[in-house]
Amino acid sequence: MMVFRRLSPPFKIGPVRAAALGLALSAACWSSQAQTSSALLAADPAAPASTAAPLVLPPTGLAKSEERPADVARAREIWQRANERVAEFPRGHIDLLRWEARNPGEAPPAPTGTSAKTAPLDLAQALRLSLRQRPDLFTHAGMNALEMAAVQVACARHVRDVQRAWIDAVSARQSWRQMNELWDATRTGSELGRRMVVAGNWSQARLMREQLNEASAWQMSVKAQGEALAALERLAQLLGVWEADAVSQLGERLPASLPAVPARATPGAGLTEATLEAAVLRADPRLALQRVEAQRELGAVGADRRQVWAAAADAALAAIPDPTTMATPPHIGNLALLRDHPLERAVSAEAQLLRAAGERRSMARQAWAHLQARHAGAVHAQTVVGQLQTALEQETLLRYNGMLQSSWELLASARERMQSLDAASQARRDYWRAQADWQALLSGAEYAGPDTPSNAGAGAANAQAGH
């Protein structure tokens, strides 16, 4: 609102000139606001836009056949030169290939963790940034109880959405890194197979199997990259970040991984399994208002009148010839009963309250069971499957160093471990999403329902494990 200072004498202006001056000042104020408003800049097609970082995909490689040496002398020369190079490295073929891969620098840039120069964007900061873009989720003086309840429920939904988006963005970037590592391991196997074909030790068929492994891992890496970018864009929308370079910086500020899963799944401070349903009922402000209304409507009619309605409803239901077909709805023909409007309002309010309360109690049981199941899955993936896979890889490495296993078994073990790590991170993601759903339910929002278990690692698990 513009505030005009009164001009002291002898400076006097007429009404027309005052109106023109007011319009000029308003235009100047609007122009100043337009220059500083991020929303106006974002919506202006003529506003200069930052350039998004180019999409860098991992190199696809070449699935071409390798020519075998033409004679025995040439094959022996290639074989001796290859073995001399391998002998320079402690772990033979694998160390040699890793050293060569680092020199040309052709590996794709994997998403990094939190930059050392910027503080990580934790969940609390993300929520505060998102609420700045939602003035409709602020309560204010003068609101009635119904308006306050609506804002509370809408705010709980928004908080849940931001929590899910933050969890997805962190988890997707971690999965991208793991899929890049998996692709790097399969590329090592493919390159080793190519050299063995050149040296005359392998057939083209075995090389093609390794190249298929590499191609499958490349597809999973590209898919993980796309999912990470989509999750980041979703989070940026909720936070009001619209510039391309700002979105990239937002990704760099995300933590490298999600918080660790707690040792036990707990419903919350002061809550037990016996009090879960009561807590969920109290959390819904609309249900409390609905209960007060139902009490008022039921108090206006006597129990005998409600009994008459119940008897009429039972008779209408019994008159249906085949309830499974439900060709026609139940019918009540008592006009005197139907014209009892206080009774009609009481019956309707009671039925609506019963449905709402039943739904909230069912949501409480579902959400708590879902949270416990996701917690058990995350703990099992981390403490049982992950530890077994790590121990197996270490045992395979010892046997490889003792020349009891081949390079292919070592590479296959490394790929399996990376798949296990990705499955564990996805299980952790599912737990924190279930936790966000549970907290939203305790804040008055509805239960969104269990998500389909994450299958981001399913493709990796189905990939060929090598030879």
Side-chain angles (χ1 to χ4, degrees):
M1 180 178 66
M2 297 298 300
V3 177
F4 297 99
R5 180 180 299 173
R6 175 180 296 181
L7 299 178
S8 59
F11 302 100
K12 295 182 180 181
I13 57 176
V16 176
R17 187 176 178 185
L21 179 59
L23 290 175
L25 291 175
S26 298
C29 179
W30 175 259
S31 176
S32 175
Q33 291 176 353
Q35 293 175 3
T36 59
S37 173
S38 177
L40 292 175
L41 287 175
D44 186 3
S50 59
T51 303
L55 184 65
V56 180
L57 298 176
T60 57
L62 297 176
K64 64 180 182 180
S65 301
E66 296 293 337
E67 295 183 3
R68 301 172 65 89
D71 51 49
V72 177
R74 177 61 178 163
R76 184 180 296 111
E77 177 186 353
I78 295 175
W79 182 84
Q80 289 176 348
R81 187 168 64 249
N83 280 275
E84 289 172 358
R85 288 282 290 154
V86 170
E88 299 174 5
F89 294 86
R91 291 199 302 172
H93 295 96
I94 296 177
D95 284 345
L96 170 61
L97 295 174
R98 294 286 171 84
W99 178 83
E100 291 179 347
R102 284 195 299 267
N103 282 344
E106 62 183 25
T112 59
T114 303
S115 174
K117 296 182 180 179
T118 57
L121 179 70
D122 58 22
L123 187 53
Q125 291 175 323
L127 288 171
R128 290 189 180 95
L129 288 174
S130 68
L131 287 172
R132 283 183 176 272
Q133 317 304 322
R134 294 296 302 272
D136 57 308
L137 299 181
F138 284 61
T139 57
H140 56 79
M143 280 186 166
N144 58 35
L146 187 59
E147 292 171 336
M148 293 280 286
V151 173
Q152 178 180 334
V153 173
C155 186
R157 292 195 195 105
H158 175 77
V159 170
R160 178 189 60 203
D161 291 343
V162 174
Q163 286 178 323
R164 283 185 165 193
W166 184 87
I167 291 167
D168 290 347
V170 174
S171 176
R173 288 178 68 83
Q174 183 180 11
S175 181
W176 181 14
R177 287 191 295 270
Q178 290 163 342
M179 290 300 101
N180 271 336
E181 293 176 4
L182 177 63
W183 169 78
D184 185 58
T186 57
R187 188 174 61 158
T188 300
S190 180
E191 175 61 18
L192 179 57
R194 186 191 67 81
R195 297 187 183 195
M196 293 187 70
V197 169
V198 173
N201 295 344
W202 253 34
S203 66
Q204 292 286 353
R206 297 186 69 181
L207 172 60
M208 290 177 185
R209 292 191 185 96
E210 292 301 318
Q211 290 174 335
L212 283 174
N213 283 340
E214 181 185 1
S216 177
W218 182 90
Q219 291 177 334
M220 287 186 288
S221 177
V222 173
K223 180 182 178 181
Q225 182 178 4
E227 292 174 349
L229 294 177
L232 181 61
E233 290 290 350
R234 170 60 179 161
L235 178 62
Q237 292 174 23
L238 292 172
L239 302 188
V241 179
W242 56 274
E243 294 178 298
D245 54 355
V247 174
S248 298
Q249 294 171 9
L250 175 64
E252 296 301 323
R253 290 188 59 193
L254 291 175
S257 62
L258 294 172
V261 176
R264 293 178 60 252
T266 58
L271 294 179
T272 64
E273 292 193 359
T275 61
L276 290 182
E277 293 183 24
V280 171
L281 291 176
R282 285 193 298 267
D284 189 352
R286 300 165 303 182
L287 185 64
L289 297 174
Q290 196 172 352
R291 185 168 181 265
V292 171
E293 180 184 358
Q295 285 178 330
R296 183 176 63 250
E297 297 294 347
L298 290 172
V301 298
D304 54 341
R305 294 163 64 187
R306 290 163 52 196
Q307 185 62 35
V308 172
W309 174 270
D314 290 341
L317 292 172
I320 300 176
D322 186 4
T324 59
T325 60
M326 289 300 293
T328 57
H331 177 72
I332 295 178
N334 188 342
L335 292 178
L337 184 65
L338 297 175
R339 289 168 180 168
D340 190 345
H341 299 301
L343 176 60
E344 180 185 5
R345 290 195 299 269
V347 170
S348 177
E350 182 183 26
Q352 292 176 7
L353 180 63
L354 179 59
R355 288 198 303 270
E359 288 176 359
R360 295 294 293 181
R361 289 180 180 273
S362 178
M363 288 177 184
R365 295 189 293 268
Q366 290 183 66
W368 174 236
H370 182 58
L371 178 61
Q372 293 179 91
R374 288 289 181 260
H375 177 268
V379 172
H380 184 269
Q382 179 176 332
T383 60
V384 179
V385 180
Q387 291 181 6
L388 284 174
Q389 198 65 58
T390 301
L392 177 60
E393 185 184 25
Q394 293 173 351
E395 178 66 19
T396 304
L397 178 59
L398 290 175
R399 293 177 62 83
Y400 171 79
N401 290 335
M403 302 184 69
L404 299 175
Q405 286 186 307
S406 67
S407 302
W408 310 107
E409 291 170 305
L410 182 60
L411 286 170
S413 177
R415 291 197 294 266
E416 290 172 358
R417 179 174 177 271
M418 279 176 258
Q419 293 164 4
S420 177
L421 287 175
D422 184 61
S425 66
Q426 295 303 316
R428 181 182 294 189
R429 162 195 175 271
D430 292 340
Y431 164 76
W432 286 114
R433 283 176 64 94
Q435 179 69 20
D437 292 345
W438 174 247
Q439 292 298 327
L441 185 62
L442 290 177
S443 298
E446 68 283 351
Y447 179 47
D451 293 331
T452 302
S454 178
N455 59 357
N462 295 329
Q464 298 180 27
H467 312 284

